[in-house]
Amino acid sequence: MNLAIRDIRHHMGRFVLTCLGLALLLGVVVSMVGIYRGLVSDALSLVRAPAPDLWVVEGKTRGPFAEASRIPFDMRDAIARIDGIAEAGAVTYQSLQLEIDGRILRAFVVGYEPGRPGGPANLAEGRPIERSHFEIVADRRTGIPLAAKFKIGADWFTVVGRTAGQVDSAGNPTIYMTLKDAQKIQFQQEGAAARNLAVRGESGTPNQVNAVLAKLKPGVDRLALVQAIERWKHLSAMTQNDQEALLLQSVVEKARKQIGLFTAILLVVSTVIIALIIHTMTLDKVREIATLKLIGAPDRSIVGLILQQALAMGTISFSLGAGLLFLLAGHFPRRVEILPGDIIALASAVALACVLASMLGVRHALKIDPAQALGG
Amino acid sequence: MNEAIVQLRGLSKHYGEGTTRVDALKEVDLDISAGSVVGLLGPSGSGKSTLLNLIGAIVDPSAGLIRLDGELVYDGRWIRKDLRRLRLEKIGFIFQFHNLIPFLNVSENIEIVLELAGYTLADARKRSLELLDYLQVADRAQAKPSQLSGGQAQRVAIARALANRPRIILADEPTAALDFERATIVIDLLHRVADEQHAAVIVVTHDEKIMPRLDEIHVLRDGALMEKEAAG
Ligand SMILES: Nc1ncnc2c1ncn2[C@@H]1O[C@H](COP(=O)(O)OP(=O)(O)O)[C@@H](O)[C@H]1O
Ligand SMILES: [Mg+2]
């Protein structure tokens, strides 16, 4: 006879309410991990979209995302000519604040050369950029519809295509445009001071780009190529894998620690709360437990009663919390990614927390004297 | 003379030490034979409950010897380590406050004892219904204890005490909450059980009305057994 279920049924209302409260708490735990996964996906979406084999950036920098990088535009041709390189494209990256119909939008602008590496990955709708000016591909998260026209600086741009889920590591949606357009905007943005420097030819001239992305011919030794490129003192090169690792390290590492810590704290808090609930439930059952001992129930029946209730509470609450997050994930301002592996890991952690939490109640229950069943 | 199912020799129990020491029971010798319903009387605080709880292996004696159903169970220490098993096998308890488990229904309250004793689910259910029938509460088998009247609850508690066919039944003021008629029914029932199961029934009571129906009456005063009276 399962005592745990019968006791739960006897106090159904209380049990359900407790589970709902706990579900919200555990839902937050799951969302923390989901937010972290979303952060990683977001950060990588920008690096993965162009999917080059090599990133060539300014010498001794780890650009273009982790550090600022500037190289002359004509390096693109120099790189394209290297033996083993199939094609190369120059790109610029910049954050931009746009005003569209009175709404402020922070976007991450990618300038690239259509037909060369650096453009958006598969479009969700519309077409790629075909003209050399004033066409853009915007991510859906910008909220700008296909065929919309809006002004950046002095020029009118038209949305010809849309991507889905491409954002920078801060969660700002990306906007793709031609390299020339992007350089013009960058130049305008930098204002008078930069323009003066440009006149003197020191830096910030419009004909600089942030990186050159290269695709290799099949079977080419990447490391050898990296070394070949780095022989030019003012260039650095890294593989796609290096770039991804770098981005995760520089952009996501702190968030990972922060969220990891927060998740751990929440799990500890959940454990303490479950422990208190189970302890209270045990205190409410002192007489019943004493009676069970009196009529001959072994400790294992009594431990089972408490442990099963703790696990039932944890399982139901976790499922509810995770289910709730699943329903709501799409409404979060940033991507929330729920991975099966994470759910399994968290469920195990919650199960462990329940076992730990029931120790307090179990300890108390084992000390209950059967004589406590007697008297009033 | 019948065999003695409960045999006590020099059984003593004190609570506390030094100035706070209370001698609840002093060197009690007692034999109770199978088939008899025995009354335990005495003023409040005289040690009646203590004696019952010692026989029921709920409280540790301070000294003496206890033999239950021919088995030496206490001899300065508990011979059996698993006292719950001992209770399950040999003893049925009936309390003043019926102590039914509130989250189990009437039938389950009885089935749990049987399950602990090793009955299969089907056998436990069958025996439970038999007992409830015997005690005329079969119609309340699915009710929760909170839905029972005092008399019904007491009968269910008796059914639970009888479930595993114990040779010793201990009842602490089982009729205190009942009127004369119902109290009489309970005592008659205990007689029947004593006869049919060849069990010893020990009833702690204040209840003057039921005394004529007891086979023997033992009186406790300040923890000491006074005299043995033949009742009836
Ligand atoms: N757990 C206990 N701790 C200390 N003293 C106790 C305890 N139980 C009973 N006593 C004392 O032992 C004596 C006998 O108690 P009890 O057996 O309950 O008497 P009765 O059931 O006859 O009223 C009383 O003086 C009581 O105060
Ligand atoms: Mg008493």
Side-chain angles (χ1 to χ4, degrees), chain B residues 144-162:
Chain B
K144 283 285 170 69
S146 59
Q147 298 165 326
L148 302 177
S149 71
Q152 286 172 336
Q154 193 57 286
R155 273 180 281 162
V156 175
I158 293 170
R160 182 177 66 184
L162 302 182

Side-chain angles (χ1 to χ4, degrees), chain A residues 206-227:
Chain A
N207 225 8
Q208 294 221 314
V209 297
N210 299 116
V212 171
L213 310 189
K215 279 203 192 294
L216 308 186
K217 287 178 184 156
V220 172
D221 179 0
R222 280 152 209 256
L223 282 180
L225 259 184
V226 165
Q227 282 163 3

Side-chain angles (χ1 to χ4, degrees), chain A residues 1-4 6-7 9-11 285 287-289 291-299 301-302 305 366 369-371 373-376, chain B residues 53 56-59 82 84-85 87-88 93 95 97-104 107-109 111-113 115-116 121 125 144 146 160:
Chain A
M1 182 181 314
N2 189 301
L3 298 173
R6 285 173 171 77
D7 183 40
R9 252 194 250 138
H10 192 63
H11 298 113
K285 279 199 289 284
R287 205 180 157 87
E288 287 85 327
I289 290 170
T291 304
L292 284 170
K293 288 185 177 183
L294 198 74
I295 62 177
D299 282 343
S301 305
I302 287 148
L305 167 65
L366 290 182
D369 187 339
L374 311 170
Chain B
N53 295 344
I58 299 171
V59 165
D82 193 348
R84 287 185 217 169
R85 195 76 213 165
R87 290 198 288 269
L88 187 61
F93 292 94
F95 311 104
F97 306 95
H98 55 74
N99 284 76
L100 295 174
I101 309 280
F103 54 81
L104 300 181
S107 184
E108 289 166 345
N109 260 284
E111 287 165 34
I112 178 134
V113 177
E115 252 181 58
L116 290 171
L121 198 67
R125 186 148 300 165
K144 283 285 170 69
S146 59
R160 182 177 66 184

